[in-house]
Amino acid sequence: MARNAHPEVTERRILEAARELFTEKGYEKTSIQNIVDRLGNLSKGAIYHHFTSKEAILDKLNDTDWDYSQAARDRIMARTDLNGLEKMRELFKVTIDNKDHRKLNEVTIPLLDDPTTLASSLNFWAAELPKHWLPIIEEGMRDGSIPTEYPQEAAELISLLANYWLLTRFCPPTRAELRHRIQCLATMLNAINVPVFDDELIRQTCDFYAQLNAQNPEQTPHD
């Protein structure tokens, strides 16, 4: 058998096909055979050569999404035309506008019904994700745009509440209640002098979560 000269191309094709199927059918209802059928010219063996399981494919998609977020954060951090607060808002907007990120969230949110997955996610949100936000908050402290005395706590509030409390999988609100909840988060951050949520970002964040919920009809907020 000839050796695959471009394994990264094959891996990317597998990931793209899996992402499409996970979004269309749901992760649980997608099989490796479905991915084989979607690709058309790869066998199960070829897929297992690159990924040991369907779970490994999803893990890679999540890793790729996280790498994109980190790279976006680094690009924003390198900008000299924005202060720390403006960089925070820009990072929120980049995340919200990323269609692949939203689609991956649509796939993974139902998996949070599994206690093990939920525990792992909570640990990531509490221990790792704050590190994503903290450098920008600290820059804002240095340039005066974020005059907080609670940089670590602010990073933790954003990481935990935006990824648990605002996910209506756990406590489905109406759209108006969802917006009110985001406004409450904004008020909490304002109280510790991290005024990242202006009216426009509140609207955009509400739209983002409402779109996520639309993919889970049993959880969809009503107006």
Side-chain angles (χ1 to χ4, degrees):
M1 180 180 294
R3 183 177 179 182
N4 185 353
H6 302 286
E8 70 283 356
V9 175
T10 301
E11 180 176 302
R12 185 167 62 248
R13 289 184 61 223
I14 294 169
L15 291 171
E16 289 173 353
R19 185 199 303 274
E20 291 172 359
L21 286 163
F22 291 164
T23 302
E24 295 168 12
K25 298 168 62 69
Y27 173 78
E28 296 293 350
K29 293 181 179 180
T30 298
S31 66
I32 293 293
Q33 185 61 51
N34 293 145
I35 299 172
V36 170
D37 294 342
R38 176 61 60 94
L39 289 166
N41 61 350
L42 284 181
S43 66
K44 278 188 177 182
I47 291 179
Y48 283 124
H49 176 73
H50 291 273
F51 299 99
T52 58
S53 64
K54 186 175 70 169
E55 291 81 0
I57 295 175
L58 182 60
D59 287 343
K60 182 63 176 181
L61 286 170
N62 279 316
D63 288 345
T64 301
D65 181 65
W66 179 239
D67 289 344
Y68 175 89
S69 296
Q70 293 289 86
R73 194 276 308 272
D74 292 345
R75 287 194 300 272
I76 291 169
M77 285 287 291
R79 291 180 60 173
T80 58
D81 59 324
L82 301 176
N83 62 32
L85 181 61
E86 291 167 337
K87 289 179 180 181
M88 281 194 75
R89 288 175 178 160
E90 184 65 18
L91 184 54
F92 263 106
K93 291 174 183 176
V94 166
T95 302
I96 289 169
D97 289 340
N98 183 352
K99 293 181 180 179
D100 285 341
H101 177 69
R102 191 190 74 239
K103 289 179 180 179
L104 189 58
N105 272 271
E106 292 168 2
V107 169
T108 56
I109 284 173
L111 304 181
L112 294 174
D113 292 341
D114 173 66
T116 301
T117 302
L118 176 58
S120 176
S121 297
L122 285 169
N123 181 66
F124 176 77
W125 297 334
E128 295 300 321
L129 192 54
K131 300 173 186 176
H132 185 65
W133 293 102
L134 187 58
I136 298 183
I137 296 173
E138 290 175 335
E139 180 172 331
M141 293 172 67
R142 291 191 295 270
D143 65 32
S145 62
I146 305 176
T148 186
E149 297 179 2
Y150 303 97
Q152 180 65 36
E153 291 79 5
E156 291 171 0
L157 277 172
I158 292 168
S159 300
L160 280 167
L161 297 189
N163 288 282
Y164 180 84
W165 195 47
L166 297 185
L167 284 181
T168 59
R169 190 77 183 176
F170 307 107
C171 184
T174 65
R175 186 183 179 91
E177 289 168 342
L178 175 60
R179 181 181 178 87
H180 200 62
R181 190 173 293 180
I182 297 167
Q183 290 172 324
C184 181
L185 174 57
T187 300
M188 286 189 279
L189 291 170
N190 288 344
I192 57 172
N193 294 316
V194 185
V196 61
F197 281 99
D198 56 14
D199 288 343
E200 177 63 13
L201 188 54
I202 288 173
R203 183 194 65 77
Q204 291 174 320
T205 304
C206 186
D207 288 345
F208 173 78
Y209 283 100
Q211 289 174 14
L212 286 183
N213 300 332
Q215 302 305 312
N216 297 282
E218 73 278 9
Q219 299 291 334
T220 302
H222 53 275
D223 290 317

